[in-house]
Amino acid sequence: MTDARDFLATDMLSAYLDGELTDTERAEVEAQLAESAEWRAELDDVRGARTMLRAVAEQDAPEGFWDAVMAGVVAADDAPVEGEEDDAPAAATVVSLDEKRRGPGRWIATAFAAAAAVALAVIIVPSRDTVKPDVATAVVQHGAQGSDLGDPIGTITPVGPLAGFRR
Amino acid sequence: MTHPPRPVRPVRRALVGLLALGALAVAWPGGAFGTSSPSEQAQQLLERTRQAAATHDFSGWVTVTWRDGATVRKAEVEVTDAGGVVEARVNGNVVYDSGTRTYVKDGNRWTGIAVGPADGETPSAAAHWKLTTRPGPEVAGRSTTQVVASRRDGTVAQRTAVDDATGLLLQREVLTKNGKVERALVFTELDLGATTTHVTAPAGLHAQQSSTITTVPDGFVAPSALGNATLVTRAKQSDGVLLWYSDGLFSTSVFEQRGTLDWTALPDGGTDTSMRGTTMRRYSEPSGTVLVWERDGVVYTCVSDAPADVFDASVTALTAPERSSLERVADFVLGPFGWN
């Protein structure tokens, strides 16, 4: 029981919403939700974030993005935790959210939250326009520009593009 | 047929100015250039060709050849110049240059291309190239004088043959550093005299708009020079900016558009290459080389008639050492807000 409650954090609620908990775990979560307004508010937050994420279009992360994120996760996980003691007491029977946030698993949760935040930023930030260069027109314009600006050679270059440009 | 020079006539300059050379050619090489140096004589000859196309009507056929990887391609182009309007036809397609506008007819579809006026002086070719002249080959039955432009290391970059009688440019060869002809055009037939163009661009044609600007908007870059080529013109278009560079002999156009390059939308047949860590798509076309790439949220489409080695060296000003993955993530996330 105690072990299970150690994981009663945001990811636990997320798993609860996904129906991924065992019957026992689900019963524990529901009991906690029935007792605590704080847990219910947390559940609402998780549900809202999931809804928002599902409402936006998927977009591939840029090359190297996940490598950079995971490098940050590893660095955060390895970093020493200020004030953390090796002989921390065993988890209490009932753990408040504040305590949960200060608990030993918080760095993993923090890392996941950071990754999720960055992913969310990537998804909801306005995407750049996709550019489809008109290469054939660019070639013709180059020739025309050169001829019109007094380039003696460029005068004839507009004849080129139509001679064999790929479609 | 000879016309008085027109103040705003672009395309014709190259082909019509040759008549003006007529009297000059008679005296060539003794008195025409007085005591000027060989380089100055060559420069003067090139400058005169700029007027030739504007003062002569002609029609003819041009053979265009270009090296595309290991393949040498060829096209036959029908060219006419009537009253300053130049028209080139290839397999039913037409490029129609009326001066400030160039129209392209591809099948039944017309496209209008705006050409902005120059806002800077085109530099002298002699400043960056060693120019010499010598008797040229006979081209389309006409005697010519050849202008040879060499790199600093002595290798020939370009050979042009100028009609002795008219000053028209009759042949042009662009060469690699190894001496191979990279691309060439040569008149196989040339008839001087009155002619007419066959086509007229349709009224109401939607044409691209272009306006000259003095500085480029934030997010775009406009180096004052690309290698030895000087920035001559900046123009704003509906979808980006156009920069035009010239070293007096070759020119490079740089089209910049904000956004992410859709590599799948590029034409087939190009080859991928890498320059200073930047991946590019390269095309070899009859009139020049094309490079397309993306950097820092800007898509570059560059076209140049210069030899590939000269072009490649010049565009490094628009590339940069490869950025780290983290920098690219920051660019991607923050770029739309202009935070990076």
Side-chain angles (χ1 to χ4, degrees):
Chain A
M1 293 292 288
T2 300
D3 291 343
R5 280 184 176 138
D6 281 342
F7 293 96
L8 279 177
T10 302
D11 51 340
M12 195 71 165
L13 293 173
S14 183
Y16 170 71
L17 290 172
D18 286 334
E20 295 173 345
L21 299 180
T22 65
D23 292 344
T24 302
E25 290 171 335
R26 187 175 68 253
E28 290 175 357
V29 169
E30 289 176 347
Q32 194 63 38
L33 288 169
E35 292 177 10
S36 169
E38 194 178 7
W39 276 95
R40 290 194 293 275
E42 184 77 5
L43 180 65
D44 287 342
D45 289 344
V46 173
R47 183 184 286 119
R50 291 155 54 93
T51 301
M52 184 170 62
L53 279 170
R54 288 169 177 166
V56 297
E58 290 185 3
Q59 179 174 318
D60 291 338
E63 184 181 355
F65 170 77
W66 290 113
D67 290 342
V69 169
M70 292 315 296
V73 170
V74 171
D77 210 21
D78 291 340
V81 180
E82 187 178 351
E84 187 173 14
E85 296 176 5
D86 292 338
D87 56 348
T93 302
V94 176
V95 183
S96 74
L97 279 179
D98 285 344
E99 289 172 325
K100 207 58 238 171
R101 286 163 184 155
R102 290 194 297 268
R106 67 184 179 279
W107 292 108
I108 296 176
T110 300
F112 271 103
V118 176
L120 185 63
V122 170
I123 293 170
I124 66 175
V125 161
S127 60
R128 288 174 174 158
D129 292 336
T130 299
V131 175
K132 300 180 179 181
D134 187 343
V135 177
T137 298
V139 173
V140 175
Q141 180 151 20
H142 170 71
Q145 191 81 25
S147 66
D148 281 10
L149 293 178
D151 179 351
I153 308 304
T155 298
I156 306 181
T157 57
V159 307
L162 294 183
F165 200 84
R166 304 166 184 83
R167 303 294 175 187
Chain B
M1 183 178 183
T2 304
H3 305 284
R6 294 174 175 79
V8 185
R9 212 4 261 160
V11 177
R12 295 201 72 197
R13 291 177 180 170
L15 298 177
V16 179
L18 301 181
L19 266 192
L21 261 188
L24 182 64
V26 172
W28 176 267
F33 299 107
T35 58
S36 58
S37 69
S39 179
E40 290 171 334
Q41 292 173 7
Q43 177 69 35
Q44 290 169 16
L45 192 55
L46 287 176
E47 290 174 356
R48 289 178 188 277
T49 65
R50 296 178 179 176
Q51 303 303 320
T55 53
H56 295 286
D57 287 348
F58 68 88
S59 61
W61 284 86
V62 173
T63 297
V64 180
T65 56
W66 68 102
R67 190 177 297 275
D68 184 5
T71 304
V72 176
R73 302 185 187 279
K74 178 191 284 189
E76 303 293 336
V77 184
E78 183 181 9
V79 183
T80 60
D81 183 339
V85 176
V86 173
E87 175 192 325
R89 294 171 162 267
V90 181
N91 299 329
N93 298 325
V94 181
V95 176
Y96 178 79
D97 191 325
S98 65
T100 57
R101 288 280 180 191
T102 294
Y103 300 94
V104 179
K105 181 173 180 283
D106 180 5
N108 292 321
R109 175 174 169 265
W110 281 92
T111 303
I113 299 172
V115 179
D119 59 356
E121 288 293 324
T122 302
S124 166
H128 303 295
W129 302 93
K130 180 186 178 186
L131 302 178
T132 57
T133 58
R134 62 191 182 197
E138 185 175 285
V139 180
R142 306 178 68 84
S143 64
T144 67
T145 296
Q146 192 171 61
V147 178
V148 178
S150 303
R151 299 176 178 84
R152 293 185 185 279
D153 63 4
T155 58
V156 175
Q158 178 177 275
R159 290 191 293 253
T160 52
V162 181
D163 184 23
D164 287 336
T166 64
L168 286 168
L169 176 69
L170 299 184
Q171 183 177 29
R172 181 195 191 194
E173 295 175 318
V174 177
L175 294 90
T176 68
K177 288 197 76 169
N178 296 328
K180 290 183 178 178
V181 175
E182 193 170 307
R183 56 180 49 83
L185 63 84
V186 58
F187 273 89
T188 54
E189 294 180 25
L190 177 65
D191 295 317
L192 293 170
T195 184
T196 58
T197 55
H198 302 297
V199 296
T200 301
L205 170 71
H206 174 73
Q208 181 186 40
Q209 299 300 311
S210 180
S211 56
T212 302
I213 52 178
T214 55
T215 59
V216 297
D218 288 344
F220 296 107
V221 296
S224 59
L226 293 183
N228 290 328
T230 304
L231 177 59
V232 177
T233 291
R234 310 169 188 82
K236 187 176 187 306
Q237 301 183 334
S238 59
D239 54 352
V241 298
L242 166 63
L243 312 173
W244 192 78
Y245 295 82
S246 173
D247 64 6
L249 196 65
F250 302 109
S251 59
T252 298
S253 292
V254 179
F255 299 84
E256 298 183 20
Q257 297 168 278
R258 283 200 191 95
T260 302
L261 174 59
D262 182 353
W263 291 91
T264 65
L266 293 175
D268 295 335
T271 57
D272 285 343
T273 185
S274 180
M275 196 179 299
R276 300 179 71 186
T278 301
T279 300
M280 301 176 169
R281 184 71 51 85
R282 178 191 297 273
Y283 298 92
S284 179
E285 298 307 318
S287 59
T289 304
V290 183
L291 286 172
V292 185
W293 74 94
E294 177 191 340
R295 177 194 164 195
D296 293 347
V298 175
V299 175
Y300 297 85
T301 305
C302 295
V303 188
S304 179
D305 56 348
D309 64 296
V310 175
F311 184 30
D312 289 357
S314 67
V315 299
T316 56
L318 296 171
T319 63
E322 189 171 19
R323 294 168 72 77
S324 69
S325 297
L326 197 56
E327 288 174 321
R328 290 203 300 270
V329 170
D331 291 345
F332 185 85
V333 173
L334 303 179
F337 299 111
W339 291 343
N340 57 343

